[in-house]
């Protein structure tokens, strides 16, 4: 199946499906189990390798569990209407910042480079919040313009260094288009030993095929060469 661009996904329909699925959700787990399959389908449709997702992945320092990690993108699900109050939003912002900072610890001297690539996402049944990082003082805008509902919080408009929080936005075509752009850019395996081992480690098919091919090449070389070193 050919890859689809973000704008080829019917984000209006996706928003309607998500809102319908979560209408009767009562807990955080309800939201997660109803939203995640729809997001995985959309991610796959735009060419993201959904097999990289890690569920309930623990953070590097405090072993807190992150709901879903797609490479450089972290999703944290919240219970119904949990992003409706200022206090809850501040708590979600602190949580996402903590997750991203701990994940960055695994990148050593490249920690800040990791943070600039990473995206944190918090979602309840009606709203979505993004967390991003900038190492220079600047304004960060969403890739797709998203409007706020009346009464929602307004974003920080002054240039700043460090973490930027965008939203919470209503779950809509615009906010979901932003999510798809973010996962398209961030949904890839970080180049750390632990992440690479999941692909090239002995338990993965890639590693088994590679060793088999190397062995076959060595055996062919042995049969064709008179040099004892090749046999060794």
């Amino acid at each position: 199946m050919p890859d689809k661009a973000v704008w080829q996904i019917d984000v209006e329909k996706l928003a309607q499906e998500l809102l319908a699925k979560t209408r009767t959700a009562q807990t955080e787990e309800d939201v997660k189990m109803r939203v995640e399959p729809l997001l995985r389908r959309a991610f796959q449709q735009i060419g993201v390798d959904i097999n990289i997702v890690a569920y309930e992945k623990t953070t590097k320092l405090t072993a807190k569990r992150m709901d879903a990690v797609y490479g450089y993108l972290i999703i944290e699900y919240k219970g119904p209407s949990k992003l409706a109050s200022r206090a809850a939003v501040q708590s979600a912002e602190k949580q996402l910042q903590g997750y991203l900072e701990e994940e960055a610890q695994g990148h050593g001297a490249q920690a800040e480079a990791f943070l600039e690539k990473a995206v944190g996402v918090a979602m309840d049944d009606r709203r979505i919040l993004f967390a991003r990082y900038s190492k220079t003082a600047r304004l960060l805008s969403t890739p797709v313009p998203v409007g706020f509902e009346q009464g929602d919080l307004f974003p920080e408009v002054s240039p700043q260094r460090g973490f930027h929080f965008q939203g919470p936005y209503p779950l809509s075509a615009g906010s979901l288009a932003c999510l798809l752009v973010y996962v398209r850019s961030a949904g890839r395996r970080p180049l750390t030993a632990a992440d690479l081992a999941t692909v090239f480690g002995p338990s993965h098919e890639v590693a088994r095929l590679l060793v088999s091919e190397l062995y076959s090449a060595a055996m062919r070389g042995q049969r064709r060469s008179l040099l004892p070193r090749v046999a060794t």
Side-chain angles (χ1 to χ4, degrees):
M1 180 182 69
D3 291 349
K4 286 187 179 180
V6 172
W7 52 86
Q8 293 176 287
I9 297 292
D10 188 343
V11 285
E12 185 66 50
K13 179 181 178 182
L14 178 59
Q16 292 171 1
E17 289 177 330
L18 289 171
L19 292 171
K21 283 285 187 181
T22 58
R23 185 171 293 118
T24 58
Q26 297 182 358
T27 66
E28 177 182 320
E29 190 65 16
D30 287 344
V31 174
K32 176 181 176 180
M33 297 306 294
R34 299 177 191 193
V35 169
E36 182 66 18
L38 294 175
L39 291 185
R40 280 172 59 88
R41 183 190 68 189
F43 294 169
Q44 188 174 36
Q45 287 175 342
I46 61 171
V48 174
D49 178 9
I50 60 172
N51 293 317
I52 69 173
V53 66
Y55 293 115
E56 301 296 323
K57 182 180 179 182
T58 55
T59 57
K60 303 293 183 183
L61 301 179
T62 59
K64 294 176 182 175
R65 294 185 180 276
M66 299 173 283
D67 286 336
V69 180
Y70 290 85
Y72 291 86
L73 184 134
I74 298 169
I75 301 178
E76 182 66 18
Y77 292 101
K78 298 295 181 184
S81 300
K82 287 297 184 181
L83 295 177
S85 70
R86 178 58 182 165
V89 170
Q90 289 177 327
S91 176
E93 290 174 350
K94 183 177 179 181
Q95 186 179 34
L96 290 177
Q97 180 173 338
Y99 287 167
L100 293 170
E101 288 176 335
E102 288 197 44
E103 285 295 282
Q105 295 300 311
H107 294 261
Q110 300 300 314
E112 197 165 46
F114 167 86
L115 287 174
E116 284 223 303
K117 297 175 185 175
V119 181
V121 180
M123 294 182 66
D124 66 8
D125 61 328
R126 289 293 181 269
R127 296 171 180 81
I128 185 167
L129 170 73
F130 302 110
R132 297 172 62 198
Y133 180 88
S134 174
K135 65 181 180 181
T136 60
R138 59 177 176 144
L139 290 173
L140 286 182
S141 59
T142 56
V144 176
V146 187
F148 285 85
E149 289 180 330
Q150 186 176 5
D152 276 349
L153 307 172
F154 288 93
E156 176 61 54
V157 294
S158 60
Q160 64 183 55
R161 180 187 182 281
F163 283 94
H164 295 236
F165 299 100
Q166 300 168 324
Y169 300 111
L171 204 59
S172 64
S175 61
L176 289 173
C178 288
L179 175 61
L180 294 180
V181 172
Y182 284 143
V183 77
R184 184 69 183 266
S185 64
R188 58 188 186 278
R189 295 184 190 276
L191 297 179
T192 64
D195 286 291
L196 291 175
T198 63
V199 178
F200 299 106
S203 62
H204 197 278
E205 184 66 20
V206 171
R208 291 195 289 268
L209 288 172
L210 176 62
V211 171
S212 176
E213 288 298 319
L214 288 174
Y215 177 77
S216 297
M219 294 303 292
R220 289 194 298 271
Q222 176 188 346
R223 290 193 296 269
R224 296 170 183 172
S225 176
L226 299 177
L227 299 175
R229 182 171 294 180
V230 175
T232 302

